[in-house]
Amino acid sequence: MTALVTDFSEWVIGAELSPFSIEESIQKRLRLLGSQGLTGMALSGIDMALWDLLAKTQGLPLATLLGGQPMELPVYNSKGLGIIGPQMAAAEAKGLVAEGFDAIKVRLGYPTAKEDVAVVAAVRAAVGDEVRLFSDYNQSLSVTEARVRAIALKDSTLDWIEEPVHFDDYDGHAEVRAVSDIPIQTGENCWGPHEVAKAFKAGACDYFMPDAGKIGGVTGWMRSVALAEAIGMPISSHLYPEFSAHLLCVTPTRHWLEYVDWAEPILATSMQISNGKTQPLEGPGAGLEWDEKAVEKYAFR
């Protein structure tokens, strides 16, 4: 990944700071190789860096450069609740809520539907009825099994079922959606707006959550959410909360910001969460400032 970013950067050095033009140029170079997988992530990373730099040259927050303004956003805690069983999940859920959140996400995909239901019930009992609860299957089910589990969970008060089947099985998602009383969320593994269009055409979901590191950075995000606005599709973010917060601020159908703290050990400042809300980091660009000593400490060589 580092090698790809370094190689692609050679195509950027000396170019005019025009992210749309640079993205188009790199896409042309990748026409035969494709812009999925690691190449897509490298392209997204470079695009995000270019938009961040452009905003900094203007002394503006990224959201402002993109034509919006920084604003308060609803945020959910996505840091934990892996496949750890009902007792541990219930205890961990209480801790996640105590950090200032009123929405959390639990991972499902236990050996049986009965176990999934039991875990959701345990978490709900632990956090109470006022906390919003999302679920994520991380592509772990067949379409047939996903249909069974969606029906089993119908009384669980979940806000959504995320990525129940393989990410690009859009017809399969639509089949699950057809029998589910719970909204279907997907999108984190879509590689660019063309894949987004396929998902929407198939009726794959009720909600969509692009990943800035896969969708094509800021450029891919803006093109994708334009498609979402046309059909009224609610858009949440996937990972990169410090950067994604700015993008949600200019997303007309903005929904939820997903929060993880993975970058915090190397950041000089971190996002502040209060009463289930947060705002983009202050300062020009995305507002990211590195803790250089921490970067040195954790650097991989």
Side-chain angles (χ1 to χ4, degrees):
M1 182 67 178
T2 302
L4 280 172
V5 172
T6 300
D7 289 345
F8 289 2
S9 296
E10 294 297 320
W11 303 338
V12 174
I13 294 172
E16 183 178 348
L17 185 52
S18 173
F20 281 136
S21 299
I22 292 172
E23 188 270 350
E24 183 179 21
S25 174
I26 295 177
Q27 287 282 12
K28 287 180 179 179
R29 291 173 179 264
L30 296 176
R31 187 163 291 154
L32 295 180
L33 182 60
S35 55
Q36 301 82 35
L38 291 178
T39 57
M41 295 181 77
L43 172 60
S44 294
I46 289 172
D47 186 85
M48 292 161 75
L50 291 172
W51 280 103
D52 180 58
L53 178 59
L54 183 58
K56 287 177 176 175
T57 63
Q58 302 300 312
L60 297 173
L62 178 59
T64 305
L65 178 78
L66 294 172
Q69 60 183 359
M71 64 177 65
E72 193 172 66
L73 299 165
V75 59
Y76 71 90
N77 198 336
S78 191
K79 294 194 303 182
L81 294 180
I83 305 297
I84 54 178
Q87 277 191 310
M88 292 181 65
E92 189 170 279
K94 289 182 179 179
L96 295 178
V97 171
E99 294 177 5
F101 295 84
D102 55 19
I104 58 177
K105 185 159 74 178
V106 59
R107 275 70 184 175
L108 298 178
Y110 288 84
T112 66
K114 184 177 180 180
E115 290 170 274
D116 280 348
V117 172
V119 169
V120 172
V123 171
R124 172 59 69 202
V127 301
D129 294 334
E130 300 303 314
V131 172
R132 308 286 287 271
L133 183 58
F134 312 123
S135 69
D136 188 355
Y137 274 99
N138 285 301
Q139 311 179 66
S140 62
L141 305 176
S142 67
V143 173
T144 300
E145 185 62 21
R147 286 163 59 94
V148 169
R149 299 207 186 195
I151 293 169
L153 289 163
K154 68 177 183 178
D155 297 322
S156 63
T157 68
L158 288 171
D159 273 59
W160 73 54
I161 292 173
E162 185 178 326
E163 219 171 37
V165 300
H166 198 268
F167 78 91
D168 61 356
D169 185 357
Y170 305 129
D171 290 336
H173 274 84
E175 288 185 47
V176 179
R177 184 183 175 210
V179 302
S180 180
D181 290 335
I182 303 168
I184 301 300
Q185 171 77 272
T186 194
E188 67 185 70
N189 288 300
C190 275
W191 299 102
H194 297 294
E195 290 298 311
V196 176
K198 292 178 184 177
F200 291 171
K201 184 177 181 179
C205 57
D206 300 281
Y207 304 142
F208 198 81
M209 57 186 317
D211 179 297
K214 292 182 178 180
I215 203 67
V218 177
T219 300
W221 179 288
M222 298 300 287
R223 291 170 178 166
S224 297
V225 301
L227 299 175
E229 182 187 11
I231 60 171
M233 177 66 69
I235 293 290
S236 295
S237 62
H238 180 257
L239 303 183
Y240 308 100
E242 297 85 4
F243 210 97
S244 297
H246 287 271
L247 300 182
L248 280 176
C249 287
V250 292
T251 298
T253 57
R254 72 185 70 86
H255 197 198
W256 286 90
L257 177 76
E258 180 178 38
Y259 176 78
V260 292
D261 60 356
W262 301 344
E264 286 189 7
I266 56 172
L267 294 180
T269 58
S270 58
M271 301 184 79
Q272 300 301 305
I273 314 295
S274 178
N275 298 319
K277 305 286 185 181
T278 191
Q279 294 194 29
L281 292 170
E282 295 181 357
L288 291 165
E289 295 183 16
W290 307 112
D291 181 336
E292 297 296 345
K293 290 184 178 179
V295 171
E296 178 66 21
K297 176 182 177 181
Y298 294 112
F300 178 78
R301 296 181 175 86

